[in-house]
Amino acid sequence: MALTLKAMEYFTTALRHGSIVKAAAELNIAASAISSAIDQVEAEFDLTLVVRQRARGIQANAAGREVARKCEHLLDDYRSLLVEGTDLKRSQSGTLRIGYYAPIAPAFLPQVFDAFLEDGSAVTLDLEECNNDDAQDGLLTGKYDAILFVAEGVRPSIDFDVLITAPPYCLLPQSHPLTRYESVTMDQIAKEPLVVLNRPLAASYYEGLFQVGTRQAPVVAYANSTEMVRSLVAAGRGCAILNMLPLTSDTYGGAPVVARPILDALPPLTLAIGYDSARPRRIVQDFARACRDHFEKIGPAKLVISG
């Protein structure tokens, strides 16, 4: 039989008082429960630890005093753990571990952090870019406290809040003839060389936007980062289809790109935040709330484009 924390508490309280009756009164339980706990501790160690004297109460022998001392240490550690756990849940402190798939998370995460992190807060941010599947795996295994991911194909066991629904748009070099139009069609895009964001979920999504047999020009490049896609487009390698819109039209290469909405009725992608909504730490709860507030107030107007 495993030695329980309750048995250790009853045992040490009885030895501290030198009386089963007094220990029972302090703990507001029956004296028989104290006596049973002493028996359990002695049975666990297969030792006599307490001398019971009818008129003088109980007294620990040398082995009993040593066991009681170690039990007290364990109980102190347990109580400290409970206090620290409560403080951790209620305070803005510790490390906030975020896995993000959102291709343009740098466009909004700094503003989100500014909105909810208190001045002088003892919070360390641990941010890791990952693909959509790895983000969900990391949340389920405890690697991440929260994730930003695309909710299409979400695992059934993941709790999430939708942040924004982003329709696809066409990205063009600044000098491209299609920039003369306020919006473009998939038929027009099908005639252009295509640069594809080659990440799990993304590549198949973008390929699936074209009806079978309609694309007339080849894929000229696959790139696994949004900024590389944007830079290749800016350099005139082709056009691209993306969903979320950075706050700037400039690229790392220095040349600008132009975004145009697509007139066709196409399925969007849904950016979501996933976290344990049942028992979140305060810092996780605050982060989730700040993400929702950000997109409710200013996010959609700046980070998506639609016809």
Side-chain angles (χ1 to χ4, degrees), residues 35 49 108 116:
S35 183
L49 304 174
F108 61 85
F116 84 98

Side-chain angles (χ1 to χ4, degrees), residues 71-280:
C71 286
E72 287 285 9
H73 282 308
L74 285 172
L75 289 168
D76 285 344
D77 288 342
Y78 174 68
R79 295 179 188 114
S80 296
L81 176 63
L82 292 181
V83 171
E84 291 170 5
T86 300
D87 290 343
L88 180 64
K89 183 176 178 64
R90 294 177 179 173
S91 66
Q92 274 200 349
S93 62
T95 299
L96 178 61
R97 302 162 300 168
I98 300 172
Y100 64 92
Y101 174 69
I104 62 161
F108 61 85
L109 271 183
Q111 295 94 318
V112 169
F113 296 140
D114 286 344
F116 84 98
L117 286 179
E118 302 167 353
D119 292 340
S121 64
V123 175
T124 300
L125 300 173
D126 186 351
L127 312 178
E128 183 174 332
E129 185 171 0
C130 51
N131 66 49
N132 214 52
D133 288 336
D134 288 345
Q136 295 181 71
D137 288 341
L139 181 64
L140 293 174
T141 60
K143 180 179 181 181
Y144 305 126
D145 297 308
I147 60 172
L148 295 166
F149 72 113
V150 174
E152 281 69 22
V154 62
R155 311 279 175 80
S157 53
I158 289 182
D159 297 328
F160 67 96
D161 298 329
V162 172
L163 298 177
I164 190 173
T165 299
Y169 66 89
C170 181
L171 194 69
L172 299 160
Q174 188 178 42
S175 60
H176 197 284
L178 288 179
T179 60
R180 299 195 307 264
Y181 302 101
E182 292 298 317
S183 57
V184 298
T185 67
M186 290 300 293
D187 285 342
Q188 290 172 312
I189 298 172
K191 299 174 183 176
E192 303 296 328
L194 196 65
V195 179
V196 174
L197 179 61
N198 190 25
R199 302 192 67 174
L201 187 143
S204 59
Y205 166 77
Y206 293 124
E207 291 280 356
L209 296 178
F210 294 93
Q211 293 185 8
V212 177
T214 60
R215 202 169 71 212
Q216 302 170 33
V219 173
V220 294
Y222 291 96
N224 67 357
S225 78
T226 302
E227 196 49 50
M228 180 57 74
V229 169
R230 286 166 45 80
S231 294
L232 289 172
V233 171
R237 298 300 302 173
C239 67
I241 301 175
L242 296 173
N243 290 77
M244 295 191 67
L245 189 69
L247 299 180
T248 177
S249 60
D250 293 332
T251 63
Y252 280 178
V257 287
V258 177
R260 290 290 182 263
I262 300 173
L263 284 176
D264 304 67
L266 300 172
L269 289 181
T270 304
L271 175 64
I273 177 171
Y275 63 103
D276 179 3
S277 61
R279 296 179 299 276

Side-chain angles (χ1 to χ4, degrees), residues 163-165 293-305:
L163 298 177
I164 190 173
T165 299
D293 290 346
H294 178 80
F295 283 98
E296 286 175 2
K297 293 175 183 177
I298 64 172
K302 293 185 176 182
L303 297 177
V304 301
I305 183 171

